[in-house]
């Protein structure tokens, strides 16, 4: 059991909690948890809290509720918060084409408010850390028939910077993923712009919120093997990771598969490299990825919504591949609900393999918390409740509304609870949401700005929503 002397000055103590720490080798226990003034877990343990823990600035008796790590979304496009329900019957290429058209009507302030709204939505739903693919300042539409990107518009670097700002203002811990537009700019410019954006992240985001910068891998959308080479170079020069959308859709599948060799030969395939989705690899691709120490990120709800298919998670697990879980776009999960994401993930794998035990609740919770943190290489800071880690946690009350007796805490948490049971979200021990409502001072304005800006941006792009408030 993880215990330590509580810090002399404590910010928060939670008592009478069913703690799902997700620390490997540690089972659930009913007890308490304290947070220091530095926003890190100071102590936790079973039974009644000691007197020194009860001297915290705030003591909350959670009355037997679950206390678990905040969810980690290892693959997200948070700027899409104003596009839920878009193209409800389209697979990936049709859906992303309309999305790209809409984004061509947005400017830097539009994308700031869209991203801020999305970040606060994540936090209110218990997602405290995210890998965020920022929208490129060069707006393009991918044409699968010609395997090329068509430029719709180009803006200045502030377009990406304002998305970084939104994550910082929201207080969401974030990996900021940046697209290297080496196909659309001369190479020196592309390298310089990428490097300047990485530096902007490092200069402006507080250390505790900054989970690093990353390459927005784009080989799937490129007709040149040089794209992977340039991405590998940026990984080396700036010491960053890379996550590439790859083999997500069954559309143009052979065309996608041909590009795997480009990543292999580029040197990008290594620890710190992730394939987002990775639904349709062949045997060589799966084994080569695992052998290289690279991993994948699974988006079960998104893959279902866009009819992309089923990633073979048990196969990747057996290969020892790092596996993260993401909520993907708010426009293709529609509700950023990690509980539904877990259930859809478990149940789809069980149906696919006709095996009711192939993905169990504790494993699924782990993949959406500590496993995602491991895949993103930030597990030293987030993903589990351990002394010294950042105190990002959720309080989930199975009695509000009542979900009945708890036979197995992990199964009940993953299978019977949901957003309706999420009562509190803490980031660094500070309350970020209460009963599903953000405590952020800009939350109301973010909603107003989103509703005001989206119809205008859509009109600029030649689109219109059926209803607007």
């Amino acid at each position: 059991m993880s215990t330590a002397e509580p810090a002399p000055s404590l910010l928060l103590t939670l008592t009478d909690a069913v703690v799902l720490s997700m620390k490997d080798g540690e089972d659930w226990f009913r007890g308490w948890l304290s947070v220091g003034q530095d926003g890190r877990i100071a102590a936790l343990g079973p039974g009644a809290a000691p007197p020194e823990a009860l001297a915290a600035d705030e003591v909350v008796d959670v009355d037997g509720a679950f206390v678990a790590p905040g969810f980690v979304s290892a693959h997200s496009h948070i700027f899409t918060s104003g596009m839920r329900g878009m193209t409800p019957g389209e697979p990936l290429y049709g859906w992303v084409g309309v999305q790209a058209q809409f984004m061509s009507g947005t400017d830097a302030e539009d994308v700031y408010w869209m991203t801020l709204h999305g970040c606060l939505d994540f936090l209110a739903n218990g997602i405290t850390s995210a890998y965020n693919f920022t929208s490129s300042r060069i707006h393009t539409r991918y044409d699968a028939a010609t395997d090329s990107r068509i430029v719709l518009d180009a803006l200045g670097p502030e377009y990406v910077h304002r998305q970084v700002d939104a994550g910082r203002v929201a207080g969401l811990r974030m990996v900021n993923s940046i697209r290297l537009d080496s196909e659309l700019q001369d190479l020196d410019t592309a390298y310089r712009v990428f490097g300047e954006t990485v530096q902007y992240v490092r200069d402006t985001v507080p250390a505790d919120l900054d989970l690093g910068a990353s390459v927005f891998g784009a080989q799937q959308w490129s007709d040149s093997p040089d794209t992977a080479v340039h991405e590998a170079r940026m990984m080396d020069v700036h010491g960053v990771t890379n996550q590439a959308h790859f083999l997500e859709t069954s559309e143009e599948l052979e065309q996608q598969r041909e590009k795997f060799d480009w990543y292999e030969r580029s040197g990008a395939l290594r620890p710190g490299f992730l394939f987002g989705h990775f639904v349709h690899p062949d045997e060589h691709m799966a084994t080569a990825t695992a052998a290289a120490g690279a991993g994948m990120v699974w988006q079960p709800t998104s893959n279902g919504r866009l009819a992309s298919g089923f990633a073979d998670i048990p196969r990747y697990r057996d290969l020892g591949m790092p596996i993260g879980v993401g909520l993907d776009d708010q426009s293709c999960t529609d509700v950023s609900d990690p509980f539904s994401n877990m259930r859809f993930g478990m149940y789809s794998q069980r149906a696919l393999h006709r095996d009711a035990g192939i993905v169990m609740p504790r494993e699924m919770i782990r993949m959406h918390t500590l496993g995602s943190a491991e895949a993103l290489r930030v597990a030293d800071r987030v993903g589990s409740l351990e002394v010294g880690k950042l105190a990002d946690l959720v309080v989930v009350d199975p009695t509000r509304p009542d979900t009945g007796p708890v036979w197995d805490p992990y199964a009940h948490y993953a299978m019977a609870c949901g957003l309706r049971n999420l009562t509190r979200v803490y980031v660094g021990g500070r309350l970020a949401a209460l009963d599903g409502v953000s405590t952020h001072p800009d939350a109301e304005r973010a909603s107003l700005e989103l509703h005001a800006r989206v119809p205008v941006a859509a009109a600029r792009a030649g689109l219109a929503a059926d209803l607007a408030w």
Side-chain angles (χ1 to χ4, degrees), residues 346-468:
M346 282 189 291
Y347 301 165
S348 62
Q349 291 294 318
R350 292 174 179 203
L352 176 67
H353 293 277
R354 299 184 184 182
D355 180 348
I358 201 160
V359 177
M360 293 294 284
R362 178 167 181 159
E363 181 185 12
M364 190 70 234
I365 300 166
R366 190 190 188 283
M367 280 193 284
H368 221 332
T369 55
L370 184 58
S372 288
E374 289 172 345
L376 299 179
R377 303 168 74 84
V378 295
D380 59 324
R381 288 171 276 173
V382 299
S384 60
L385 304 181
E386 301 182 49
V387 171
K389 283 195 175 185
L390 294 162
D392 300 346
L393 50 93
V394 296
V395 179
V396 175
D397 189 344
T399 71
R400 296 179 53 192
D402 182 39
T403 55
V406 177
W407 295 85
D408 175 325
Y410 297 105
H412 204 93
Y413 184 79
M415 292 174 159
C417 292
L419 293 181
R420 62 185 187 158
N421 302 104
L422 179 62
T423 60
R424 290 171 177 260
V425 180
Y426 291 95
V427 177
R430 291 172 170 80
L431 191 66
L434 180 65
D435 293 329
V437 178
S438 172
T439 60
H440 196 283
D442 286 344
E444 183 176 357
R445 184 180 175 191
S447 182
L448 293 171
E449 292 278 358
L450 183 80
H451 284 281
R453 289 172 177 275
V454 164
V456 175
R460 288 192 203 112
L463 298 169
D466 288 343
L467 294 171

Side-chain angles (χ1 to χ4, degrees), residues 142 214 344:
Y142 177 69
S214 187
F344 191 86

Side-chain angles (χ1 to χ4, degrees), residues 160-317:
V160 177
H161 293 177
R162 290 298 279 155
Q163 295 172 70
V164 175
D165 294 343
R168 181 189 72 243
V169 170
L172 180 66
R173 303 199 202 280
M174 190 178 288
V175 178
N176 281 281
S177 183
I178 305 152
R179 195 154 182 163
L180 176 67
D181 288 305
S182 56
E183 289 180 90
L184 307 174
Q185 301 171 305
D186 70 83
L187 199 52
D188 287 344
T189 300
Y191 283 171
R192 176 180 55 78
V193 169
F194 182 89
E196 288 173 352
T197 309
V198 170
Q199 194 59 49
Y200 184 82
V201 172
R202 292 171 175 168
D203 289 345
T204 62
V205 181
D208 278 354
L209 292 180
D210 181 17
L211 298 181
S214 187
V215 177
F216 181 150
Q219 187 64 83
Q220 176 171 331
W221 314 102
S222 170
D223 62 356
S224 168
D226 292 340
T227 297
V229 173
H230 300 318
E231 290 178 8
R233 181 174 178 189
M234 291 298 95
M235 293 172 72
D236 291 334
V237 169
H238 298 287
V240 297
T241 62
N242 187 342
Q243 186 174 161
H245 292 73
F246 207 70
L247 295 166
E248 173 180 357
T249 178
S250 57
E251 304 167 86
E252 306 291 346
L253 192 53
E254 289 311 310
Q255 181 188 87
Q256 295 182 66
R257 284 176 169 163
E258 288 174 4
K259 299 176 181 180
F260 181 84
D261 180 59
W262 298 354
Y263 266 130
E264 263 194 305
R265 287 189 285 115
S266 72
L269 209 59
R270 62 177 92 161
F273 184 96
L274 296 169
F275 283 122
H277 299 284
F278 214 44
V279 178
H280 301 284
D282 60 25
E283 183 66 18
H284 166 72
M285 295 171 191
T287 55
T289 298
M296 65 84 64
V297 185
W298 178 29
Q299 285 64 249
T301 304
S302 169
N303 292 162
R305 209 270 213 184
L306 296 176
S308 296
F310 300 97
D312 193 351
I313 298 304
R315 171 63 175 147
Y316 303 148
R317 177 189 63 198

Side-chain angles (χ1 to χ4, degrees), residues 51-108:
E52 57 268 29
L54 298 177
D57 293 349
E58 181 181 13
V59 178
V60 179
D61 181 350
V62 301
D63 195 22
F66 296 114
V67 172
F71 290 95
V72 179
S73 177
H75 180 114
S76 321
H77 300 254
I78 301 177
F79 65 87
T80 62
S81 195
M83 293 180 274
R84 301 163 206 258
M86 181 179 280
T87 58
E90 290 282 352
L92 177 67
Y93 290 144
W95 165 81
V96 80
V98 176
Q99 183 187 90
Q101 183 181 347
F102 167 74
M103 290 304 294
S104 71
T106 62
D107 61 24

Side-chain angles (χ1 to χ4, degrees), residues 125 127 301 327 333 335-343 418-419:
N125 290 354
I127 305 153
T301 304
L327 273 299
T333 56
V335 181
S336 299
D337 182 348
F339 295 94
S340 291
N341 207 36
M342 289 195 297
R343 279 192 288 275
L419 293 181

